[in-house]
Amino acid sequence: MLTQKQILAWLEEVKDPEIPVLSLVDLGIINTVEVNDNQVKIEITPTFVGCPALEVMRQDIKDTLLKHGARSVEVEVNYKQPWTSDRLSERGREALRQFGLAPPPKGKVLVEDLEVLENVPCPRCGSTRTGLKNPFGPTLCRSIHYCMDCREAFEQFKPV
Amino acid sequence: MNETALKELLYKLADDKLIIGHRNSEWTGMGPLLEEDIAFSSMAQDKIGQSYALYQMLQGLGEQDPDIVAFMRNADQFHNCIFAELPNGEYDFSLMRHFLFDTAEAIRFDMLTRSAYSPLAELSIKIRAELRYHTLHANTWIKKLGTATEESITRLQTALNEALPYALGIFEESPYEEEIKDSGLFEGEKLLLERWMEQVEQILKDTHLKLPDWSNLKPVTGGRVGRHSEHLQPLLDEMSEVFRSDPGAEW
Ligand SMILES: [Zn+2]
């Protein structure tokens, strides 16, 4: 008999397709997991409404759980508990840093001013002598910054 | 709850986003700076994604598949405001439209977080947070160029004068306006317009741009009831060209 705990452990294997070091659990997009007689029902919520990776994630969840022996897997996408960048786990934030992406500042999910994107600690050297280059980056969830100590650009997983 | 009124509201929200999103995406590879190119492409992706979430909500209410709704309707079935469908023109006009339109959207979706229809209220919390980046982007550039050189100020002022009557068309009331307000779906266009005017005045105060007397402006309306400018149908044809050629294709 499968348990919710077991399912969550398996979901650790499913990674964000854009950031392959970050699991969907640490990303914080899994809202609920229900198991009934090895049939699994999961509710997820996207990081961005227009996230192009959503379908891939939904399929990866299904494939992974079926491979481990779930009898059926249903994945529902909704906004009942909308995602915010504060839902990234500590482990997830560390994974982002390792990947070279600055994690988002905490408690800044409804951005009032682009100031919050200034002086983001550089994921390479830790310096805060950094500046915002563009609040829009190569993917919806990233902004572009410049480190004056490394003299190189870096990206941040932006607060939202 | 009046389902016809709800659907009409959702179509209006979704169509605005789909159409402005496609206009934004036309800047891809064309922006005056690479930075702006990325910004408009990114905002386009946000807005088109948000329109799909709204079309999916409509599908849950018995409407057709989002792709069919997005690509197979004719101009007179679209409820977006005329402002959204106008061609991009020069960068000044696009930037001014971005500012005026997104200011309204940001306030609208803040109001919608209090909608009595909970799926819409929940989605609006998410959209509101994403739109912050759009309005902050617009405000930054309006303030930058609205105080820069005599030329940039003159160009933006021309764009503002040109855009305002169309911008006022955003607030054209729905045929179901009273039902929408009474049932708590949305607090209504009048309140939105008031808040929008305040916010626009607030931002433009920090620039050298002058707002004309609001009462002298005549809103360009019709979009909300499917009476569009000549610019919408060609845009739809272009958007749907690929889709119509093979509606069953998997993307
Ligand atoms: Zn550095």
Side-chain angles (χ1 to χ4, degrees):
Chain A
M1 196 66 127
L2 296 180
T3 61
Q4 192 190 45
K5 203 172 153 210
Q6 180 65 69
I7 300 292
L8 280 169
W10 287 335
L11 286 176
E12 293 283 350
E13 294 167 24
V14 188
K15 308 295 182 191
D16 179 335
E18 284 172 359
I19 308 164
V21 293
L22 183 62
S23 82
L24 299 192
V25 176
D26 287 325
L27 180 58
I29 67 160
I30 313 283
N31 271 348
T32 63
V33 175
E34 277 174 46
V35 203
N36 201 334
D37 195 18
N38 293 357
Q39 300 180 75
V40 186
K41 207 184 148 206
I42 293 181
E43 288 185 325
I44 64 171
T45 193
T47 52
F48 276 75
V49 179
C51 177
L54 193 63
E55 267 316 303
V56 177
M57 294 192 219
R58 190 211 276 261
Q59 197 56 49
D60 287 351
I61 291 175
K62 282 190 183 172
D63 294 347
T64 304
L65 298 183
L66 289 173
K67 183 187 78 189
H68 280 294
R71 194 143 64 90
S72 68
V73 181
E74 196 185 317
V75 183
E76 187 189 318
V77 178
N78 64 44
Y79 297 89
K80 281 179 197 161
Q81 298 159 264
W83 186 86
T84 75
S85 48
D86 280 353
R87 287 176 52 172
L88 276 160
S89 71
E90 272 313 315
R91 200 166 46 165
R93 299 168 66 83
E94 189 47 43
L96 288 178
R97 243 177 253 122
Q98 298 289 334
F99 189 66
L101 277 176
K106 288 185 191 173
K108 295 279 195 297
V109 298
L110 202 53
V111 177
E112 296 288 346
D113 196 305
L114 290 179
E115 282 293 308
V116 304
L117 296 183
E118 296 292 351
N119 307 114
V120 169
C122 168
R124 267 187 305 267
C125 73
S127 167
T128 51
R129 295 206 320 130
T130 68
L132 173 66
K133 294 278 284 179
N134 194 341
F136 298 100
T139 70
L140 289 185
C141 55
R142 303 186 198 177
S143 49
I144 305 173
H145 304 254
Y146 186 80
C147 175
M148 283 166 247
D149 288 317
C150 299
R151 295 174 178 275
E152 253 186 89
F154 65 90
E155 292 169 13
Q156 183 196 32
F157 198 105
K158 67 194 192 189
V160 68
Chain B
M1 182 171 312
N2 182 336
E3 199 167 286
T4 315
L6 172 61
K7 285 184 184 174
E8 201 267 345
L9 175 65
L10 294 175
Y11 268 115
K12 165 164 92 179
L13 302 172
D15 290 348
D16 263 0
K17 285 192 174 291
L18 181 71
I19 299 302
I20 197 79
H22 274 278
R23 285 302 186 204
N24 282 349
S25 75
E26 290 173 352
W27 278 109
T28 307
M30 307 278 289
L33 298 163
L34 180 61
E35 192 187 337
E36 278 302 273
D37 202 323
I38 296 171
F40 273 99
S41 308
S42 192
M43 291 188 286
Q45 206 185 330
D46 270 336
K47 288 181 193 298
I48 293 171
Q50 293 163 358
S51 79
Y52 265 71
L54 290 158
Y55 290 134
Q56 275 163 354
M57 204 177 283
L58 278 160
Q59 190 181 17
L61 294 166
E63 296 296 288
Q64 281 190 296
D65 180 87
D67 279 333
I68 305 278
V69 168
F71 295 124
M72 302 297 273
R73 283 179 300 158
N74 287 317
D76 59 3
Q77 295 169 290
F78 272 78
H79 292 200
N80 60 282
C81 59
I82 290 176
F83 195 29
E85 74 207 32
L86 296 179
N88 284 340
E90 299 287 320
Y91 177 72
D92 322 274
F93 182 79
S94 273
L95 173 63
M96 188 52 77
R97 170 168 60 185
H98 165 39
F99 165 63
L100 297 171
F101 182 88
D102 283 37
T103 298
E105 266 216 324
I107 303 170
R108 188 188 289 280
F109 278 89
D110 177 56
M111 290 163 73
L112 286 168
T113 63
R114 298 181 288 277
S115 174
Y117 184 58
S118 58
L120 178 59
E122 289 155 5
L123 176 64
S124 297
I125 293 175
K126 190 73 195 129
I127 292 180
R128 173 175 66 179
E130 293 178 5
L131 287 178
R132 279 298 164 88
Y133 283 98
H134 301 203
T135 49
L136 289 170
H137 173 263
N139 297 351
T140 304
W141 282 95
I142 288 285
K143 285 181 185 176
K144 205 186 273 186
L145 296 177
T147 53
T149 62
E150 200 175 319
E151 197 204 335
S152 75
I153 295 164
T154 311
R155 291 180 68 129
L156 269 191
Q157 183 68 54
T158 307
L160 177 65
N161 298 348
E162 214 181 305
L164 275 173
Y166 290 98
L168 289 174
I170 295 174
F171 313 99
E172 175 182 359
E173 293 197 338
S174 150
Y176 305 99
E177 195 73 13
E178 290 312 311
E179 286 100 315
I180 286 173
K181 282 195 284 188
D182 291 346
S183 54
L185 289 175
F186 173 57
E187 294 157 287
E189 300 295 332
K190 276 211 179 71
L191 185 62
L192 173 58
L193 171 61
E194 262 171 49
R195 293 192 182 161
W196 175 82
M197 290 196 296
E198 271 171 36
Q199 179 66 11
V200 167
E201 284 167 9
Q202 180 71 31
I203 301 293
L204 293 187
K205 229 171 45 196
D206 296 337
T207 69
H208 299 300
L209 303 174
K210 305 243 171 327
L211 275 168
D213 189 343
W214 291 112
S215 57
N216 290 339
L217 295 168
K218 194 174 172 332
V220 180
T221 58
R224 301 300 189 197
V225 291
R227 284 198 312 273
H228 290 278
S229 70
E230 72 275 23
H231 304 295
L232 182 59
Q233 193 59 53
L235 175 66
L236 296 176
D237 292 343
E238 203 182 288
M239 276 163 49
S240 62
E241 202 174 328
V242 187
F243 183 76
R244 279 182 205 248
S245 66
D246 186 6
E250 290 285 336
W251 299 105

